[in-house]
Every structure is written in structure tokens, then in C-alpha cells.
């Protein structure tokens, strides 16, 4: 809000366009210097003047917006210090009037954004490696809704491939319905592992598997019954984990959903003269773009992962007419996405530019973090449960009298995990460590939830009434809290633009740290009624924005902890 006004004034004074100015505006590391700083170094080249001179002149000529108290040149920068009274009133009134919508906008205009995330594989357990995609996707889902889009969450199930033929053979030879119904995905995995062991000795098993997979392709009733059942078993378990995390999908249309939509892709590619034959396979040559070819059909006529992704993109465009379609998938699949995005572009679809691979790094554990099982195969559910149990123990110690401690341990334990995945840029590898993520005083989910609960507890004692005198909020702690609250909307906007939920987490963290300093340094329940009311208003605003931020990151906001 202030940034836009300052950018407008600077744009008038410099002749640069507002968007460019807005991008250039910085928030000085030291708030003493000002709330916004405009660097003049780039202008120095075109204006052929020293940056400091430009800054000095600009500080004189720029028309001071109402929200600004002082404009000061400092070296090559023009610093803007907001008028404290105006800042407090504007920020706090905005939070009060917008309520749960604060930090959002109507930018999306109700258009659809498809978000392909989590995308689990059937007959395989949901493991720790699925956590980043699941939580980044879920957070982007919420962030996009907040800025006025309609998010469509899609779990592009990995439910196609020759492994399902193997599963059927294994089940028919060694499987038992009751055992699987009771043991779930673990039992399916055991069968799969056994298949591979036995197939080393008995090659004919692989032939049988191919035959069964062909039956699936041909819609044979017996094959289909088993195939759907494996899917059901897996989804039942997966849904329980998503429920624990408060995550839901709008669609579970996975790879097999596109079986009858593959011909269209192949025909269209052929008509557009993009398909060429290469050693029996049908490919799209991408050498001009310095990429290996995108294989569309194998020599035996089978379609591939990429073919299905192209079919899915066409289907999603037809069905949702998306403004954007995001793929929250590990960076290992970079090439895959670059290749088929290029194919869609070559097909002549200008919306290829709206497809974005939102890549992320890997999760690994510190020594002992995943002690019981090795590496990647740590089941997500076990990690969630471990986090809940550890949190329960901490709560038992810290707040022995807490009501519904089990429910709160669940919200905080899961929140701690989710937060730890969303506190750094997504491309950074995450090293997982219990002590760090469960530290109630660190930069953690529990710390944020605790701060929210603290604000709730203050407001249980007294509530703000009527219009406060905002000018009373002029101490340092109140001011930096107000500044942090005021910065939240830009953080949300930028998080959406860059597909980086951590920008929201960082903003929420700043609010929490500022609130705690305010809480310790300034007496909220002071005898001075006007001051108390102003401070309660600020406390309420902090509580509300922290709750919004937690929700955008995918954490719940318990009122007591
Ligand atoms: N199931 C895939 C995997 O585990 C991820 C699918 C991602 N989504 C997509 N549309 N390709 O690697």
C-alpha cells in the first residue's frame, strides 16, 4: 500500500514506469534509516551524474505522498520514512476492515490456477520425499486463493505402468486379500519386492506380468478389478495422511485417467509434422533447443510419462482454462518438464508459457533423525506421528494443565514439520533435525503458533473497544510491529509471483518476533485506558495476521498452547 504510493511519486519525478520503480524499491536493513529506500545507482548511468547527487536532487523534487513523513537522501539512496501516525492508522484499520482477507487481493479475478502436487504413486508408500511437494503445493494453493484465484489441486497419481502387471502376478501367486486389506500398502510393497526376487530365478514371471499389463490396457474385468483395488488400498492410506495434515485435492485424475486421451496427442503431433520415427520409436526432435528428444511412443507402441503429461495439460486447459498450471515436482525432473513444455509450445499453444515447473530440493535427515529405517523410505505417516509424540512430551512438561493436549500436540507436531519445509527457498535441500524443528524458541512453527496463542491469551483478558488513538503507538516496539504487519501483503504477493511460500513464513516470523519484543517491553494491560486500548488493538491485529499467515503456510492456529 505505501510502496505503491511511493513508487507512484518516484515514477512522476523520474519518468521511470511505476512497476520498474516498485521493483527497485528496497526495505533498508536498518529501520532507523527509513521504511523504503530508492537506490539511484542505475540512474547514474543514464543521467551521467553521481548517485549521491541524483539522490539529493530527487529528495528535493519528489512530491511527498501523504503516508510519508520524511524524505532523506543518504549516499546513493533516497530514504522514505513513513509518517508513524498515518502508518499505524492505515495498517491497523486495513487489518480490521479486511479481516481474514488481509494480505490478499482480487488480482486473480477468479481465474483458475491448476496446481499439480504430491502426485503419489499407487502401491507405494507415501514417504518423507513426498513431503516437500505436498506442503509447497498446499501452501501455493492457499496463497493463490488468497490473491483471488480459484485453485485446483490435482494429485496426478502414478497409476500406470508395467509394474501393475507385476503386482497382479505377485498377488495371484502369493497374495491374500485379508492380509492386504488389514496391512495396506506395506503388504503391496512386500508382494512387489517378492516379485523381483522370484523373477531373478524365473524369467517367465516377467512374461506373465507383461501379459497381465496388456489385460489392464484392454480393460479385462479381472485385471481391472485388481488394478482398481490396489488403487483403493493406496488411496485410503494416502487420504488418511492428507487428512492429518488438513490437505485436500480437487482431483485425483492420474496417469491412467489419460488412457483414452493419448490418441489425440499422437494424432495432433503427427498432423503438425512434429513426430519423427527414430529406431522404431516416435519422438519429437528437440536438438535445436539443445535437449534430447521427447519420446512420445515407444517402439512397441506404448506411451510414456511425457505423453501423459502432454495429454494432461491439454485436458486441463480444456477443462479449467487455467491462467497458470504449476507442477510442484523435485528438480530431478527438470529436463522432463523443459522437454514437454517445449513440445506443447511447438504444437502452437501459446499457453505453454503458463506452464511452470515449481522445482524443489531434497530432504535428508541428520544422523539419527530417521534412525529406524534407512534413507528415503521413511514413511511420512511415521514421521508425522513421531513429531506429534515428541510434541506431546514437550507440552506435558511445559503446560501440564493444558486442555485437549492431544489435539494441540497434533496441530503443533504436524505444523512443526510443515513449517520446517517452508522456511527456506524451495530449491535448497532440507536437512531434517528434530531438535531444530521442535524448538519452541527458535524460528519454528511451534514458536509462531505459541506467539499466536500468547496474543489470544492477552485478548481473553480484555478486548479493544471503538476507535483507538493510533498516535499513542509511537514506541519503537509498536512501530516495528506495525511495520512488519504492513509488509505482509507484499510478502504474500511476492510469494505467489515467485512460487515461494517461505516469503510468507519469513514475514510471519518477523511479525512474531516484533510482537514478542512488544509484549515484553510494553505493558499491554496498563492503567492508562487510551494506551491500553491502542495496545490491545495492535495485539488483535498481530493475532489476526499471524493466523492468516499460518493458514497460508498450511498450519493451524491453536488458541491455547
Ligand atoms: N508420480 C511422479 C513421481 O513420483 C510425479 C508426478 C508429477 N506430476 C506430473 N504431472 N508429472 O515422480
Amino acid at each position: 500500500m505505501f510502496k505503491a504510493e511511493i513508487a507512484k511519486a518516484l515514477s512522476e519525478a523520474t519518468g521511470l514506469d511505476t512497476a520498474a520503480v516498485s521493483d527497485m524499491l528496497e526495505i533498508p536493513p536498518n529501520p532507523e534509516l527509513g521504511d523504503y529506500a530508492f537506490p539511484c545507482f542505475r540512474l547514474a548511468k543514464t543521467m551521467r551524474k553521481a548517485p549521491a547527487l541524483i539522490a539529493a536532487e530527487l529528495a528535493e523534487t519528489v512530491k511527498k505522498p501523504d503516508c510519508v513523513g520524511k524524505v532523506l537522501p543518504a549516499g546513493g539512496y533516497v530514504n522514505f520514512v513513513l509518517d508513524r501516525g498515518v502508518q499505524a492508522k492505515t495498517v491497523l484499520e486495513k487489518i480490521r476492515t479486511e479481516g481474514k482477507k488481509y494480505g490478499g487481493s482480487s488480482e486473480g479475478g477468479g481465474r483458475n490456477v491448476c496446481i499439480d502436487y504430491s502426485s503419489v504413486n499407487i502401491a507405494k508408500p507415501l514417504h518423507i520425499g513426498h513431503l516437500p511437494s505436498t506442503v509447497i503445493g498446499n501452501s501455493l494453493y492457499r496463497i493463490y486463493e488468497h490473491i483471488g484465484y480459484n485453485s485446483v489441486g490435482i494429485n496426478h497419481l502414478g497409476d500406470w505402468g508395467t509394474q501393475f502387471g507385476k503386482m497382479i502376478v505377485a498377488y495371484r501367486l502369493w497374495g491374500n486379500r485379508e492380509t492386504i486389506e488389514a496391512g495396506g500398502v506395506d503388504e503391496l510393497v512386500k508382494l512387489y519386492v517378492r516379485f523381483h526376487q522370484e523373477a531373478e530365478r524365473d524369467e517367465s514371471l516377467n512374461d506373465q506380468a507383461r501379459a497381465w499389463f496388456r489385460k489392464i490396457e484392454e480393460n479385462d474385468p479381472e485385471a481391472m478389478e485388481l488394478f482398481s483395488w490396489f488403487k483403493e488400498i493406496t488411496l485410503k492410506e494416502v487420504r488418511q495422511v492428507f487428512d492429518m495434515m488438513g490437505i485436500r485435492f480437487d482431483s485425483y485424475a492420474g496417469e491412467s485417467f489419460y488412457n483414452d486421451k493419448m490418441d489425440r496427442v499422437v494424432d495432433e503431433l503427427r498432423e503438425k509434422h512434429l513426430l519423427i520415427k527414430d529406431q522404431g520409436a516416435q519422438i519429437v526432435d528437440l536438438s535445436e533447443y539443445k535437449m534430447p528428444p521427447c519420446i512420445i511412443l515407444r517402439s512397441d507402441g506404448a506411451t510414456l510419462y511425457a505423453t501423459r503429461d502432454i495429454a494432461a495439460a491439454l485436458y486441463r486447459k480444456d477443462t479449467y482454462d487455467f491462467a497458470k498450471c504449476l507442477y510442484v515436482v523435485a528438480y530431478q525432473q527438470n529436463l522432463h518438464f523443459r522437454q514437454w513444455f517445449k513440445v506443447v509450445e511447438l504444437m502452437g499453444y501459446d499457453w505453454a508459457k503458463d506452464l511452470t515447473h515449481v522445482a524443489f530440493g531434497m530432504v535428508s535427515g541428520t544422523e539419527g533423525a530417521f534412525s529406524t529405517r534407512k534413507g528415503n523410505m521413511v514413511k511420512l505417516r511415521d514421521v508425522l506421528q513421531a513429531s506429534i509424540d515428541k510434541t506431546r512430551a514437550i507440552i506435558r512438561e511445559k503446560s501440564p494443565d493444558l486442555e485437549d493436549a492431544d489435539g494441540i500436540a497434533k496441530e503443533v507436531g504436524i505444523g512443526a514439520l510443515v513449517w520446517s519445509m517452508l522456511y527456506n527457498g524451495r530449491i535448497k535441500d532440507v536437512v531434517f533435525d528434530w531438535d531444530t524443528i521442535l524448538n519452541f524458541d527458535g524460528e519454528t512453527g511451534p514458536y509462531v503458533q505459541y506467539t499466536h496463542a500468547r496474543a489470544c491469551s492477552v485478548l481473553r483478558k480484555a478486548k479493544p473497544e471503538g476507535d483507538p488513538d493510533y498516535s499513542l503507538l509511537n514506541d519503537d516496539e509498536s512501530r516495528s510491529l506495525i511495520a512488519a504487519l504492513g509488509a505482509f501483503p507484499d510478502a504474500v504477493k511476492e510469494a505467489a509471483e515467485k512460487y515461494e511460500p517461505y516469503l510468507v513464513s519469513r514475514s510471519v516470523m518477523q511479525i512474531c518476533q516484533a510482537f514478542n519484543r512488544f509484549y515484553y517491553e510494553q505493558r499491554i494491560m496498563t492503567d492508562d485506558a487510551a494506551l491500553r486500548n491502542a495496545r490491545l488493538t495492535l495485539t488483535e491485529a498481530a493475532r489476526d495476521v499471524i493466523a492468516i499467515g499460518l493458514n497460508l503456510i498450511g498450519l493451524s492456529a491453536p488458541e491455547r498452547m
Side-chain angles (χ1 to χ4, degrees):
M1 48 200 136
F2 306 124
K3 194 177 176 185
E5 284 181 49
I6 294 170
K8 188 161 160 276
L10 276 168
S11 146
E12 280 161 12
T14 57
L16 295 170
D17 77 63
T18 333
V21 174
S22 180
D23 274 347
M24 287 166 77
L25 275 174
E26 295 171 10
I27 297 189
N30 176 359
E32 298 298 307
L33 296 173
D35 299 277
Y36 293 93
F38 181 69
C40 299
F41 306 98
R42 258 168 49 195
L43 289 177
K45 290 205 192 81
T46 45
M47 293 174 71
R48 298 177 174 282
K49 272 192 230 173
L53 187 61
I54 301 175
E57 288 176 2
L58 207 50
E60 288 296 320
T61 51
V62 69
K63 188 166 167 297
K64 193 168 71 61
D66 288 343
C67 61
V68 172
K70 274 183 283 182
V71 183
L72 301 166
Y77 291 91
V78 187
N79 289 330
F80 294 85
V81 185
L82 295 174
D83 178 292
R84 296 302 159 204
V86 175
Q87 183 188 20
K89 185 170 181 327
T90 316
V91 172
L92 298 180
E93 281 184 351
K94 196 169 158 73
I95 295 170
R96 280 180 120 181
T97 47
E98 293 185 2
K100 292 209 178 326
K101 291 206 161 81
Y102 181 73
S105 65
S106 49
E107 189 183 315
R111 286 172 301 161
N112 287 330
V113 171
C114 292
I115 309 179
D116 178 319
Y117 66 108
S118 191
S119 298
V120 299
N121 298 320
I122 296 302
K124 301 216 180 111
L126 203 54
H127 59 77
I128 183 90
H130 289 106
L131 192 55
S133 172
T134 307
V135 301
I136 295 168
N138 179 50
S139 177
L140 291 176
Y141 187 106
R142 291 156 183 246
I143 290 172
Y144 271 92
E145 291 259 312
H146 205 57
I147 60 165
Y149 285 90
N150 175 51
S151 299
V152 182
I154 304 173
N155 202 317
H156 186 77
L157 298 177
D159 60 359
W160 197 246
T162 46
Q163 71 269 29
F164 293 101
K166 296 177 184 173
M167 283 300 308
I168 294 183
V169 173
Y171 171 72
R172 286 168 45 95
L173 287 170
W174 317 294
N176 171 293
R177 206 168 259 264
E178 286 77 50
T179 319
I180 294 174
E181 292 284 357
V185 177
D186 283 347
E187 291 301 321
L188 295 178
V189 174
K190 276 189 207 158
L191 283 178
Y192 193 63
V193 170
R194 176 148 180 204
F195 179 92
H196 282 271
Q197 285 162 353
E198 307 255 354
E200 275 183 23
R201 270 172 277 145
D202 180 1
E203 208 356 73
S204 78
L205 287 174
N206 281 316
D207 297 331
Q208 291 178 43
R210 271 189 286 275
W212 273 105
F213 182 58
R214 207 163 308 122
K215 285 194 186 185
I216 301 178
E217 290 182 305
E218 286 159 2
N219 257 319
D220 168 83
E222 187 185 356
M224 285 318 282
E225 195 275 325
L226 288 172
F227 174 68
S228 317
W229 178 56
F230 297 151
K231 219 163 130 166
E232 226 173 82
I233 297 278
T234 314
L235 281 180
K236 193 171 136 213
E237 238 174 272
V238 161
R239 281 206 171 99
Q240 281 167 1
V241 177
F242 292 150
D243 282 348
M244 276 171 94
M245 302 177 72
I247 289 177
R248 49 172 290 277
F249 290 89
D250 301 293
S251 161
Y252 278 92
E255 295 184 30
S256 74
F257 177 79
Y258 299 100
N259 283 345
D260 61 358
K261 299 173 181 62
M262 307 302 273
D263 289 347
R264 166 173 176 203
V265 176
V266 177
D267 293 346
E268 212 175 304
L269 285 169
R270 192 165 285 133
E271 272 161 33
K272 293 180 175 165
H273 305 290
L274 290 165
L275 268 194
I276 57 174
K277 207 168 175 143
D278 185 58
Q279 299 169 21
Q282 299 285 337
I283 65 162
V284 177
D285 177 33
L286 297 174
S287 54
E288 202 179 312
Y289 311 99
K290 302 203 168 39
M291 286 186 273
C294 184
I295 306 174
I296 302 296
L297 289 177
R298 275 202 324 234
S299 52
D300 64 2
T303 56
L304 286 99
Y305 183 44
T307 328
R308 280 171 199 270
D309 261 329
I310 297 170
L314 295 174
Y315 174 82
R316 289 175 193 174
K317 187 66 196 175
D318 285 347
T319 311
Y320 305 109
D321 191 25
F322 54 73
K324 286 167 189 290
C325 183
L326 312 180
Y327 296 83
V328 188
V329 184
Y331 72 82
Q332 280 91 340
Q333 296 193 26
N334 261 341
L335 179 62
H336 164 73
F337 285 102
R338 284 204 300 126
Q339 284 178 304
W340 76 258
F341 286 178
K342 181 54 88 180
V343 173
V344 175
E345 185 191 318
L346 293 174
M347 289 169 93
Y349 292 113
D350 63 346
W351 50 263
K353 66 177 183 350
D354 304 322
L355 305 171
T356 303
H357 176 204
V358 178
F360 55 84
M362 291 198 337
V363 190
S364 58
T366 53
E367 201 67 43
F370 300 141
S371 55
T372 47
R373 282 165 226 168
K374 70 166 197 284
N376 250 0
M377 284 316 273
V378 185
K379 286 177 71 178
L380 187 48
R381 182 202 220 116
D382 295 345
V383 181
L384 292 174
Q385 194 55 51
S387 193
I388 295 170
D389 295 344
K390 285 173 192 287
T391 305
R392 182 73 184 86
I394 297 173
I395 291 179
R396 196 169 288 135
E397 205 175 292
K398 281 194 172 241
S399 335
D401 304 325
L402 187 66
E403 255 176 64
D404 187 28
D406 288 333
I408 289 166
K410 188 176 157 218
E411 294 183 335
V412 177
I414 291 176
L417 264 178
V418 173
W419 182 274
S420 72
M421 297 285 143
L422 298 177
Y423 197 57
N424 288 297
R426 58 189 152 74
I427 210 66
K428 246 180 111 165
D429 291 345
V430 177
V431 182
F432 182 87
D433 170 47
W434 285 119
D435 291 338
T436 316
I437 76 167
L438 292 177
N439 181 350
F440 278 46
D441 301 314
E443 297 183 19
T444 60
Y447 171 83
V448 174
Q449 287 172 319
Y450 195 78
T451 307
H452 173 264
R454 168 174 283 162
C456 288
S457 138
V458 172
L459 292 160
R460 272 195 294 275
K461 292 185 204 116
K463 293 202 170 16
E465 280 157 20
D467 284 330
D469 180 353
Y470 293 104
S471 71
L472 299 174
L473 298 171
N474 59 1
D475 59 274
D476 286 349
E477 289 77 21
S478 302
R479 275 162 37 182
S480 50
L481 176 52
I482 292 164
L485 292 168
F488 182 73
D490 283 335
V492 175
K493 187 172 155 60
E494 201 182 331
E497 274 161 15
K498 298 187 171 152
Y499 316 112
E500 284 285 17
Y502 89 99
L503 294 169
V504 174
S505 324
R506 298 269 164 171
S507 176
V508 175
M509 183 54 69
Q510 289 204 325
I511 294 169
C512 290
Q513 288 171 339
F515 176 77
N516 284 318
R517 279 193 300 268
F518 162 76
Y519 177 86
Y520 285 116
E521 300 297 330
Q522 306 296 334
R523 243 185 96 68
I524 299 175
M525 297 304 282
T526 161
D527 291 338
D528 178 334
L531 186 56
R532 185 173 65 231
N533 199 39
R535 288 182 178 163
L536 283 168
T537 306
L538 181 54
T539 303
E540 189 175 64
R543 177 200 65 188
D544 291 348
V545 180
I546 295 169
I548 295 169
L550 281 169
N551 180 52
L552 292 180
I553 291 300
L555 272 71
S556 50
E559 291 180 11
R560 292 168 204 263
M561 260 175 82

